[in-house]
Amino acid sequence: MKLDRFQVGAFGGLQGFEASDLVSSKLVVVVGANEGGKSTFLEYLTTMMFGFTPANREQNPYSPWSGQPMAGAAWLQLRDGTAMSIGRRLRHLPEAKLEVGETEKLIGNAPLPSLGPITREIWRSRTSSTLAPAPWAISARRSVEASL
């Protein structure tokens, strides 16, 4: 599954944040200053995939600072090329609309069915924001520096 496009309506300090045509990129890197919203964006993507946790606006640490309902959407491309989109919103109860091809389905706060056995914990272990650079990033940096 590849992320093609996203649109953050309101999530934590993020509002009106979007990007498109990501599916053509082999690697998407999110860079920003401390407290710039990188971890919030990662949690936003996790929420698009797995639903809101907690599923209560008053208890959710990412309730928008603006007071608006938590909301956003993501457009994905499955391995077989099928287009899929998910729109989620948390007012009093979580809502989600999944579109796969021409089929629409309301899924509440359920994870995306296409994730199969991948849990939120597995997802978080494979996607992280950390101060320690990944070993492949150090190797890539050295290769680029050596070629300069």
Side-chain angles (χ1 to χ4, degrees):
M1 178 183 324
K2 292 182 180 182
L3 178 65
D4 184 34
R5 187 173 117 194
F6 65 85
Q7 184 177 41
V8 180
F11 192 90
L14 302 177
Q15 188 170 347
F17 182 54
E18 60 185 78
S20 60
D21 195 30
L22 301 174
V23 78
S24 61
S25 302
K26 291 185 183 227
L27 177 66
V28 176
V29 178
V30 178
V31 178
N34 287 343
E35 299 300 317
K38 299 177 300 294
S39 295
T40 300
F41 177 65
L42 184 57
E43 188 60 30
Y44 166 79
L45 289 177
T46 302
T47 298
M48 289 297 106
M49 300 292 178
F50 295 96
F52 294 99
T53 298
N56 177 311
R57 180 177 164 73
E58 288 74 31
Q59 295 175 349
N60 196 300
Y62 293 97
S63 288
W65 300 350
S66 65
Q68 293 180 311
M70 296 172 76
W75 290 261
L76 307 155
Q77 186 181 73
L78 300 177
R79 185 174 285 178
D80 67 2
T82 302
M84 177 172 69
S85 67
I86 180 70
R88 292 194 188 266
R89 181 171 55 185
L90 180 59
R91 290 189 281 187
H92 299 292
L93 295 173
E95 306 167 3
K97 181 170 78 171
L98 175 66
E99 295 181 32
V100 180
E102 301 295 318
T103 306
E104 275 186 23
K105 182 178 178 182
L106 298 178
I107 64 168
N109 202 39
L112 296 178
S114 56
L115 292 169
I118 298 173
T119 64
R120 184 182 298 265
E121 291 71 29
I122 292 171
W123 166 265
R124 282 196 172 131
S125 74
R126 305 308 291 164
T127 59
S128 67
S129 59
T130 178
L131 295 175
W136 61 265
I138 294 169
S139 176
R141 179 177 162 196
R142 287 182 183 144
S143 295
V144 169
E145 289 173 347
S147 66
L148 296 177

